[in-house]
Amino acid sequence: MNGVRRLAGAVVVVAVLAIPPWLLAAFTRAHLPGWPTSARLRDWLTDPLTPATLTTGLIAVAWLLWLGMAYTVTVTAARRLRAGARWVRHLPLPTPWQAAATSIAGAAALTSAHTPSTHPPNPPTPVTADELQHPSDAAQTERGGVVVPGGWLPDDTAHHIAAAAALVWLRRRRAHQPGQPDTDATQLTPLPATVTAVQAAIADQPPPPAVTTGSMAAPLPPAGIRLAGDGADHAARGLLVTRLLTALRDPTDTTPVIITSNTLTRLLPSIAETAATIPGLHVVDTLEQAAALLPASSTSSTADRGIPSLVLTVEPATAAPLNLPGARVVTLDAGARLPTWRVDRHGHSVDHQTGQPRPRMCVLDGTAAADLLAVLAQPTTAAPDPAASAPARPINRAQAKIPRQASRIPPPTPRRPTEAAATAVQLRVLGRPALLIDSKEVTIRRSAALQILVFLAVHPDGATTTQLVHALWPGLPAHTVTGRLYTTLSDLRSTVRATSADQVVVHTEDRYHLDLRTDVDLWRLLAAAHHSATTDAPGSWQAVIDAYTGDLAAGHTWPWIDPPREATRRLILDAHTTAAAAQTDPHEHLRLLQAAIRIDPYNQQLHQLAADQLNALGDSAAAADLLHTHRQRLRVAGILDQPMITAR
């Protein structure tokens, strides 16, 4: 089909270039038999506006138009030929194994008609990684890993990063104090762009069947290695991030990574001040100090599982010995006498001595590595003590609202929860998302279309094309996926049009937003919360509690969903604690706190408040059991890393 279109296009171009000049030449010969003479020029100066001169002018203009068109076609064709030549020059060379297979096949084909030789063909000359060319397009289609802006990660490392990101939100849920204004602005801050790109890339992928949390993606020689090549620093950062992921589950007495201060300044200058908050990362000034740390780690459970410590250094080989028992030394010093791996910027590595390919390594630039390390850093302040916290107070609306974007169109006005839902189109985003038309659920074929509906429900003032693309497909250039967005929106409109004359997503100026007549349960929840915060009427918070039917987009792990989901959860937890504080019946007070715990079973203050209420009712055994269950839940989740609360 492409060949037919190209042939038709070539025919049209040839016709456009050939037919007009042929017609113009014939027309010119008929009206301009020869070059103008002096007598004709005098006649033209005397009377310039004659039929003959007008015809001549029109012929001249026609020739100029054709010459301009021919010039444009020629320049465009030359540009495309030049681009094709560049593409041919950048074709990737074969890897050493492919070169060997090609040489053997070629030798067999050339000698098949002659007497077979008993001598095998000479092996090909090894090709180093620096001599290989790996275009970015080829790297993105390669299996077994995730391409992110600034690097490449193996699949298992990407899944560990996603798990670490989930722990960040669990820690934030644990530290939140319901009923109190949020004083830490970072509690609802989205995770770094590289992390969301990893989450989006593996959103629909199951975890690897055999996840080796403690192992490195590239097995290192027992004596360590020297990294060289264009990707040496990138690979060192990849080893650092991969190894530090083990600290999430290793005991606190392990020493996963030791790095000299000069190496840290070279690889990650942006985290030099916050390196102490990263579990498992030890910064030393000299390799002698690193050797002093290793005996403690060599007897730990890490050594028992065969996971050696990683030592990263750029120190000269003469400054200190590189033979550190119980550790794998990775140096960037060009003079170190260690096995050398040459690494390119895409992680492809070869043994410099033998020319044999080595495992592909995780490679990260400084920005990508700093983004990924941000999810490993622990909070620098301890969790607040619920015993010292002030009593619950009414919700501050400025703190409770879901973050929204600035807009140039007025946001829709959500209807009060007491108003009847007369609209035919209803969007449910609390709990399992669903679109209903005339009370019948509409089947949405594309998962991106459902994501767009939820995103616009969270941002009722709308979103631009760029904002939607960055939210749905983070890490990808906007211009490469804009067509996918338009296709998704067109399919959504067709689906809705098949069952209703109304539209759900409309376009005003340069922003997409939900139709103002759409009944959205999240908008009704926000309207109820705003009404309760402004009137503070007795029992008004119960309407907020009744409007909440589940977590925002429950069951979906879209990278952008965590901040608004957590904001919505905190809104409903504040409603429960505020309603509980206003209760005079101690049993009703306890019931509301227990209902809040079911919404967020990781929150620390809710458990402490419920335990205090149980103790006040004389049930100390139930209070102790509640706190013990909470402690076990935190331990299983991997966030039991701060002093625990106790019954009082």
Side-chain angles (χ1 to χ4, degrees), residues 180-558:
Q180 303 296 319
D182 289 331
T183 57
D184 187 358
T186 64
Q187 286 296 301
L188 295 178
T189 302
L191 298 182
T194 307
V195 179
T196 57
V198 172
Q199 291 176 305
I202 65 172
D204 299 327
Q205 298 179 10
V211 176
T212 54
T213 304
S215 64
M216 298 180 189
L220 303 179
I225 59 170
R226 178 177 74 89
L227 296 178
D230 293 340
D233 288 9
H234 293 62
R237 297 186 195 96
L239 285 173
L240 173 69
V241 171
T242 302
R243 187 64 184 89
L244 282 175
L245 287 171
T246 64
L248 294 177
R249 300 188 182 278
D250 281 348
T252 56
D253 61 342
T254 60
T255 311
V257 177
I258 303 174
I259 186 171
T260 62
S261 55
N262 291 337
T263 309
L264 184 63
T265 302
R266 170 174 168 175
L267 297 180
L268 293 163
S270 61
I271 70 163
E273 300 296 330
T274 60
T277 64
I278 300 176
L281 180 62
H282 299 262
V283 183
V284 297
D285 293 328
T286 64
L287 289 179
E288 286 80 1
Q289 296 176 353
L293 291 174
L294 288 174
S297 63
S298 62
T299 59
S300 68
S301 58
T302 300
D304 297 338
R305 293 198 300 269
I307 307 173
S309 298
L310 175 67
V311 178
L312 286 174
T313 179
V314 295
E315 312 302 325
T318 56
L322 295 179
N323 184 16
L324 300 176
R328 296 289 187 269
V329 178
V330 176
T331 181
L332 300 173
D333 174 37
R337 296 182 177 274
L338 286 175
T340 301
W341 287 6
R342 301 192 67 84
V343 190
D344 68 6
R345 288 182 177 270
H346 301 288
H348 300 279
S349 62
V350 295
D351 191 308
H352 184 63
Q353 283 70 31
T354 65
Q356 297 297 319
R358 307 308 306 169
R360 187 174 183 181
M361 304 183 69
C362 175
V363 284
L364 300 166
D365 65 9
T367 301
D371 284 354
L372 298 183
L373 289 175
V375 302
L376 302 180
Q378 299 284 3
T380 56
T381 57
D385 183 8
S389 61
R393 65 186 68 173
I395 298 176
N396 185 344
R397 174 61 180 161
Q399 300 289 339
K401 71 176 182 180
I402 297 178
R404 297 180 180 176
Q405 303 167 345
S407 79
R408 288 171 287 174
I409 60 174
T413 303
R415 54 176 55 84
R416 296 283 181 84
T418 56
E419 297 179 12
T423 179
V425 181
Q426 298 173 311
L427 179 60
R428 301 288 175 262
V429 297
L430 298 176
R432 183 181 68 86
L435 177 65
L436 297 92
I437 297 180
D438 294 330
S439 301
K440 295 182 180 179
E441 183 172 348
V442 177
T443 301
I444 300 177
R445 294 184 293 268
R446 295 175 179 264
S447 59
L450 182 64
Q451 193 173 168
I452 290 173
L453 291 175
V454 179
F455 187 86
L456 295 180
V458 173
H459 302 84
D461 46 358
T464 64
T465 299
T466 302
Q467 290 167 341
L468 283 173
V469 166
H470 286 167
L472 271 63
W473 299 286
L476 298 178
H479 67 275
T480 63
V481 289
T482 301
R484 194 187 308 179
L485 174 66
Y486 294 153
T487 302
T488 302
L489 289 170
S490 177
D491 182 78
L492 177 61
R493 291 192 182 99
S494 299
T495 301
V496 174
R497 195 180 300 115
T499 55
S500 173
D502 297 330
Q503 281 298 326
V504 180
V505 178
V506 295
H507 190 262
T508 304
E509 295 182 356
D510 62 340
R511 303 180 73 85
Y512 294 95
H513 60 90
L514 296 179
D515 190 287
L516 305 184
R517 297 168 297 177
T518 305
D519 175 31
V520 184
D521 55 354
L522 177 62
W523 296 355
R524 288 191 279 109
L525 172 67
L526 295 178
H530 179 69
H531 174 71
S532 299
T534 53
T535 61
D536 200 22
S540 60
W541 290 108
Q542 187 61 44
V544 182
I545 296 173
D546 295 338
Y548 184 79
T549 56
D551 284 345
L552 180 65
H556 293 277
T557 57
W558 303 319

